[in-house]
């Protein structure tokens, strides 16, 4: 069974631009979560989608948004990029959602650099 | 508030046992997780323990849970150089809450 796939692996963008990251969950998984990883803040939760609905959201500004499609694939978008948005963005999927019920399986991430 | 704490570094010799410790705050967390991250990679799920268990063993990995003290540990037996990585513990809150990670360095 293929794991969580994230594309692209690397991105370089300029301040003020916007970016879209993509995530394909493990086949059969309906929940997709996004995390931001930085050296200073560590791993921080962005949002979770289940059956195309955002179920949970972390403490990030509205410039960060996401969506989930009917095939469970998910995208996240960051608009008006700032230097501080440089990070590794990790996507994770789980089988039935509800973090206490099934573990998260992570992809290898998208490394975003904002210059 | 939700907070997970880990020591930042651990250095061991190949063949020794490694013990990585973690304290958490949310006593209602149903599961507690251990993840491993190698350079340039995402997080690999290592093991997890249900909150009503005290111990779980999985090959070279042993997880101990002390709910009274909200303390979780991961023991790696016969540590190998390939175990060098960052290890994260995580509790279930409104989302998965991660510690800052413990960097395990294994020397031969």
């Amino acid at each position: 069974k293929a794991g969580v796939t994230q594309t692209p692996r690397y991105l370089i963008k300029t301040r003020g631009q916007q970016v879209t990251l993509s995530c394909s969950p493990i086949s059969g998984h309906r929940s997709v979560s996004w995390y931001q990883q930085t050296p200073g803040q560590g791993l921080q939760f962005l949002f979770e989608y289940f059956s195309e609905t955002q179920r949970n959201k972390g403490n990030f500004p509205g410039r960060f948004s996401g969506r989930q499609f009917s095939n469970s694939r998910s995208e996240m978008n960051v608009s008006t990029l700032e230097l501080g948005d440089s990070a590794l963005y990790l996507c994770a999927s789980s089988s039935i959602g509800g973090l206490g019920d099934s573990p998260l399986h992570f992809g290898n991430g998208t490394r975003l650099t904002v210059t | 508030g939700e907070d997970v704490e880990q020591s930042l570094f651990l250095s061991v010799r190949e063949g020794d046992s490694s013990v990585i410790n973690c304290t958490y705050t949310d006593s209602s967390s149903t599961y507690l997780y251990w993840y491993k991250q190698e350079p340039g990679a995402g997080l690999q799920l290592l093991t997890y323990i249900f909150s009503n268990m005290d111990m779980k063993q999985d090959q070279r990995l042993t997880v101990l849970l002390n709910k009274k003290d909200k303390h979780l540990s991961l023991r790696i037996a016969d540590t190998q150089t390939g175990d060098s990585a960052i290890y994260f513990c995580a509790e279930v809150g409104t989302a998965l809450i991660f510690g800052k990670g413990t960097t395990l360095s294994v020397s031969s």
Side-chain angles (χ1 to χ4, degrees):
Chain A
K1 202 182 234 187
V4 177
T5 304
Q6 293 188 245
T7 56
R9 286 280 278 142
Y10 302 94
L11 268 175
I12 300 175
K13 292 285 187 180
T14 305
R15 272 181 301 176
Q17 289 186 313
Q18 75 164 13
V19 67
T20 299
L21 313 180
S22 181
C23 172
S24 293
I26 291 171
S27 178
H29 284 192
R30 294 168 62 192
S31 169
V32 173
S33 300
W34 289 89
Y35 285 80
Q36 182 197 65
Q37 186 178 27
T38 59
Q41 299 298 316
L43 284 150
Q44 293 187 286
F45 171 71
L46 281 155
F47 25 67
E48 183 212 356
Y49 287 87
F50 183 80
S51 293
E52 302 177 67
T53 301
Q54 187 182 88
R55 293 205 304 186
N56 201 1
K57 188 176 188 308
N59 189 24
F60 278 80
R63 299 185 297 108
F64 292 81
S65 63
R67 59 178 175 168
Q68 187 180 32
F69 302 95
S70 59
N71 62 358
S72 294
R73 192 178 68 86
S74 177
E75 289 181 347
M76 68 163 280
N77 184 274
V78 188
S79 62
T80 321
L81 284 165
E82 301 177 359
L83 294 178
D85 297 333
S86 294
L88 180 66
Y89 289 87
L90 292 163
C91 169
S93 73
S94 65
S95 57
I96 59 174
L99 294 172
D101 299 325
S102 59
L104 295 185
H105 298 270
F106 284 83
N108 282 327
T110 294
R111 171 76 62 186
L112 172 65
T113 302
V114 181
T115 62
Chain B
E2 301 165 328
D3 199 11
V4 177
E5 302 218 351
Q6 304 177 237
S7 53
L8 292 182
F9 298 102
L10 177 64
S11 181
V12 301
R13 287 188 176 272
E14 192 173 24
D16 288 349
S17 291
S18 307
V19 179
I20 302 171
N21 294 301
C22 169
T23 57
Y24 62 96
T25 54
D26 190 350
S27 58
S28 65
S29 188
T30 50
Y31 285 94
L32 292 143
Y33 295 91
W34 284 103
Y35 285 87
K36 175 184 179 182
Q37 187 175 37
E38 298 185 44
L43 299 179
Q44 173 195 348
L45 177 65
L46 275 180
T47 187
Y48 56 97
I49 187 167
F50 188 52
S51 58
N52 69 353
M53 298 169 66
D54 297 324
M55 185 182 85
K56 179 179 179 181
Q57 190 147 1
D58 185 359
Q59 299 181 335
R60 291 191 298 124
L61 305 178
T62 302
V63 178
L64 294 177
L65 175 60
N66 181 331
K67 284 193 71 176
K68 176 177 168 290
D69 295 336
K70 297 181 186 172
H71 183 264
L72 182 72
S73 67
L74 174 69
R75 178 178 180 267
I76 305 173
D78 187 25
T79 312
Q80 303 298 307
T81 54
D83 295 324
S84 294
I86 304 176
Y87 291 80
F88 294 90
C89 67
E91 66 175 352
V92 177
T94 52
L96 263 192
I97 310 299
F98 288 88
K100 289 284 201 284
T102 299
T103 298
L104 175 63
S105 174
V106 184
S107 57
S108 54

